[in-house]
Amino acid sequence: MSYSRRKFIQQSSRGVAGIGLLGTSALGVSLGAGSGHTEIEPGAFNFGVASGDPRQDRVIIWSHFQPAGQHSTPVQWQVALDEGMMDVVAEGIFVTTEARGNTIKVDVSGLLPGTTYFYQFRVEQAFSEVGRTRTAPEGDIDLARFAVISCSSYAHGYFNVYRILSERDDLDGVLHLGDYIYEYGQDEYDERSLRNERTLTPTHELISLTDYRRRYALYRLDADLQAVHRQHPFITVWDDHEFANDAFQDGAENHNEGEGEWRDRKAAARQAYFEWMPIRENRAGGISRTLRYGDLLELIMLDTRIEGRVAQPGGVDRQSEAQDFNRTLMGFEQEAWLQQQLSGTTARWKVIGQQVMMAQRYYIKLPDLFGGGASLWLDSWDGYAATRDRLLGHIRDHGIDNVVVLTGDVHSSFAADLSDNPYDANNYDRNSGIGSLAVEFVTPSITSPGFPPVLAETGAATIMAASPHIKYAELRQHGFILLTLNRDEARADWFYVADVLKRSTQYRLACSFLTRDKENRLVSV
């Protein structure tokens, strides 16, 4: 199909930085009531644009249109090779309705690999901003670069990380590893550290579909968040707070009596996520998927949070329970799928994007006869040691090189070698890294609180002293990882922002680690 070189969009809808929410039937009533927000504009694209899940020939483009009434809305969309939207290569109409919260999501196909595109939406005389995106490359490529981020609590500060990343033009994409929103009500989450109180909408804990939609809408009004989505395609997974704290397949730590059935809350949270995030939906309703960047890397995105995860160990026998062979972090079906992806790919680097920390953090390592490793972190892979053992055993037994694990969740920074038994000097050497099977990079939070300063310094030192495989630990700074891969190495650079309590684009490089081709262990740069 050919398209004429024409420009149907001649203006953008007005900027929405700092505005608030008007009650609508799709988003719920009085979204911004009492919060000091002004009203959003009906008949407009108030929440910006976004793109995601780039493949060689396609990419998701997203927006939201607020109709003046309760009716379905045909939305025109265009994709072009230029920011002026003159060289149009694809166009169509997407009909959005209240049933999907008036969100717009198009999987645009027929595109060229490794190409920058621009896109825009229109309803009659209302126009969205122009977004920028990029498809994944194919064939022989020498370089790929991503920002790796997670954990953005709106109430705990400004999204300076998003603004900084929006000003870069050297990224293939942004990997968001979960906790894109938080479900807590106002002042319910770590109130002691809440020095910069941005008002939440709704002010109560999220339970219903309307609640989750309203919270996503609040986030999407943030000017810094809009800017980074406008500039880069996102590749995302959810974590617990898109649902509820410490969630698992059948419940969550803060899903309590009187809050309805967990399955209903989980379904509402899942629906809102797929409505508001630029992620490709599948019929099973899951998020596990792969994305290929030429022959250089395979991105393997996991769900270690909701699908298949059994409850975290609890009670007096929780340390022994954590070692139970029959427990699974992601479900046995997803475990088998992950192993197949690692064995089957021909990409040089196998990059796993997932939620919770894989490296062991045992405060005491006992012989297996007495329960093995004792950990304080049983919401992570430490609470599901058999899942980790099966994965690392598969990597070892099949001689799989160049596995890089990316992690969010813990509001901290870590760099670690991954060994099936790093506490045994005969199995892993802390000085040379021999015995490591893969590496892990853990990204800090965007705004979510870490440890208090004194505890952070002491805690990091204690973890590193007790854990020979953990090469770097920092427990309080906010920032991001810049992940750069070439044919010889995969490198992670940790950058920390100067502040989150006021708007700032100052940031600094804190440290760097890399792993070289086929060495499977970390080197400090």
Side-chain angles (χ1 to χ4, degrees):
M1 183 180 295
S2 62
Y3 298 92
S4 60
R5 288 178 177 265
R6 61 188 177 86
K7 177 181 178 185
F8 78 63
I9 296 174
Q10 299 179 6
Q11 60 182 3
S12 298
S13 58
R14 66 179 178 85
V16 294
I19 66 177
L21 303 172
L22 173 70
T24 71
S25 55
L27 290 174
V29 296
S30 302
L31 272 165
S35 67
H37 297 298
T38 58
E39 294 181 346
I40 66 168
E41 180 182 352
F45 297 90
N46 294 284
F47 301 107
V49 297
S51 69
D53 272 10
R55 297 192 184 278
Q56 283 82 7
D57 67 338
R58 65 187 58 225
V59 69
I60 297 289
I61 60 173
W62 178 97
S63 192
H64 177 287
F65 182 78
Q66 184 61 57
Q70 301 179 28
H71 52 76
S72 61
T73 307
V75 181
Q76 294 177 270
W77 58 267
Q78 285 189 335
V79 174
L81 288 168
D82 64 308
E83 192 171 5
M85 302 301 296
M86 295 296 292
D87 193 358
V88 175
V89 299
E91 62 184 354
I93 294 177
F94 183 94
V95 179
T96 188
T97 67
E98 271 192 68
R100 57 174 301 113
N102 295 310
T103 57
I104 305 147
K105 188 189 290 188
V106 183
D107 194 353
V108 183
S109 60
L111 303 178
L112 297 174
T115 303
T116 297
Y117 289 98
F118 300 87
Y119 60 96
Q120 197 169 34
F121 302 89
R122 172 188 178 182
V123 176
E124 297 178 346
Q125 298 306 308
F127 306 91
S128 78
E129 297 175 300
V130 175
R132 172 185 177 271
T133 191
R134 185 169 179 81
T135 52
E138 67 178 7
D140 295 338
I141 64 170
D142 296 323
L143 181 70
R145 180 174 289 120
F146 303 88
V148 186
I149 55 177
S150 74
C151 303
S152 43
S153 174
Y154 183 92
H156 282 82
Y158 293 107
F159 294 155
N160 295 331
V161 169
Y162 287 150
R163 176 60 63 178
I164 290 165
L165 295 179
S166 76
E167 296 174 353
R168 299 189 70 112
D169 62 3
D170 61 342
L171 302 179
D172 288 281
V174 174
L175 304 179
H176 198 299
L177 301 180
D179 293 345
Y180 182 94
I181 66 165
Y182 279 72
E183 86 287 4
Y184 292 111
Q186 194 71 46
D187 299 336
E188 290 180 357
Y189 174 37
D190 199 10
E191 187 176 356
R192 291 172 297 176
S193 68
L194 200 61
R195 294 175 290 161
N196 176 40
E197 186 173 341
R198 294 211 285 175
T199 306
L200 294 175
T201 300
T203 57
H204 59 263
E205 184 181 326
L206 311 183
I207 301 294
S208 68
L209 175 58
T210 296
D211 291 341
Y212 285 101
R213 283 173 168 172
R214 292 168 70 188
R215 188 62 58 81
Y216 278 105
L218 174 68
Y219 272 63
R220 282 300 179 89
L221 288 170
D222 184 273
D224 300 323
L225 185 150
Q226 286 195 14
V228 72
H229 274 299
R230 192 166 55 244
Q231 176 75 353
H232 303 297
F234 268 53
I235 300 169
T236 70
V237 291
W238 56 46
D239 196 12
D240 53 340
H241 291 291
E242 287 91 348
F243 295 82
N245 184 52
D246 285 356
F248 57 99
Q249 181 174 250
D250 298 319
E253 177 272 333
N254 66 333
H255 182 73
N256 304 313
E257 187 176 352
E259 294 180 339
E261 296 290 335
W262 169 248
R263 65 175 178 270
D264 296 332
R265 183 177 183 179
K266 183 169 73 168
R270 186 196 305 270
Q271 179 176 336
Y273 184 87
F274 281 122
E275 287 174 352
W276 285 84
M277 299 299 288
I279 183 174
R280 187 169 285 105
E281 300 175 27
N282 60 53
R283 284 177 292 180
I287 58 172
S288 300
R289 62 206 190 279
T290 62
L291 297 110
R292 183 70 175 254
Y293 281 72
D295 64 346
L296 187 63
L297 76 132
E298 187 103 22
L299 273 174
I300 306 171
M301 308 303 289
L302 298 183
D303 182 359
T304 61
R305 176 55 68 182
I306 296 297
E307 299 300 329
R309 175 195 269 243
V310 300
Q312 296 86 342
V316 295
D317 295 327
R318 59 186 179 274
Q319 299 297 339
S320 296
E321 187 181 349
Q323 307 294 324
D324 187 342
F325 183 83
N326 295 310
R327 290 174 48 78
T328 174
L329 179 66
M330 65 182 83
F332 293 107
E333 183 177 350
Q334 190 180 182
E335 282 191 39
W337 174 84
L338 171 59
Q339 292 179 14
Q340 291 169 2
Q341 300 309 308
L342 291 173
S343 295
T345 183
T346 58
R348 176 160 304 208
W349 298 99
K350 300 86 178 170
V351 179
I352 300 174
Q354 54 96 52
Q355 293 83 351
V356 292
M357 190 163 173
M358 186 180 292
Q360 300 89 336
R361 287 172 293 169
Y362 296 154
Y363 63 88
I364 183 172
K365 183 66 175 77
L366 300 172
D368 291 341
L369 179 65
F370 298 100
S375 174
L376 297 173
W377 314 88
L378 299 183
D379 183 56
S380 69
W381 289 69
D382 275 359
Y384 306 81
T387 302
R388 180 173 56 210
D389 290 344
R390 287 189 287 267
L391 173 59
L392 294 178
H394 180 81
I395 292 172
R396 180 189 60 244
D397 295 345
H398 290 79
I400 300 172
D401 292 316
N402 297 346
V403 176
V404 176
V405 177
L406 304 177
T407 301
D409 182 63
V410 289
H411 313 171
S412 304
S413 302
F414 289 95
D417 285 337
L418 293 175
S419 167
D420 46 2
N421 189 356
Y423 300 95
D424 183 350
N426 294 318
N427 188 67
Y428 172 79
D429 186 278
R430 73 182 306 160
N431 296 313
S432 68
I434 293 175
S436 179
L437 300 166
V439 302
E440 181 175 21
F441 302 135
V442 181
T443 189
S445 74
I446 294 171
T447 55
S448 303
F451 284 75
V454 175
L455 288 179
E457 185 174 345
T458 303
T462 300
I463 289 172
M464 291 184 66
S467 306
H469 56 301
I470 294 180
K471 308 304 180 183
Y472 176 65
E474 204 291 326
L475 307 183
R476 61 179 290 267
Q477 298 290 337
H478 307 286
F480 62 95
I481 286 176
L482 190 66
L483 177 69
T484 304
L485 306 104
N486 59 37
R487 307 197 76 80
D488 298 321
E489 64 188 37
R491 170 172 171 154
D493 299 301
W494 279 260
F495 290 92
Y496 297 139
V497 296
D499 202 348
V500 297
L501 301 181
K502 62 182 180 182
R503 295 191 186 280
S504 170
T505 55
Q506 295 183 359
Y507 66 108
R508 64 181 176 87
L509 174 64
C511 73
S512 303
F513 283 85
L514 62 81
T515 179
R516 297 190 178 98
D517 181 32
K518 295 184 173 58
E519 290 191 356
N520 307 318
R521 56 186 182 267
L522 291 177
V523 177
S524 175
V525 180

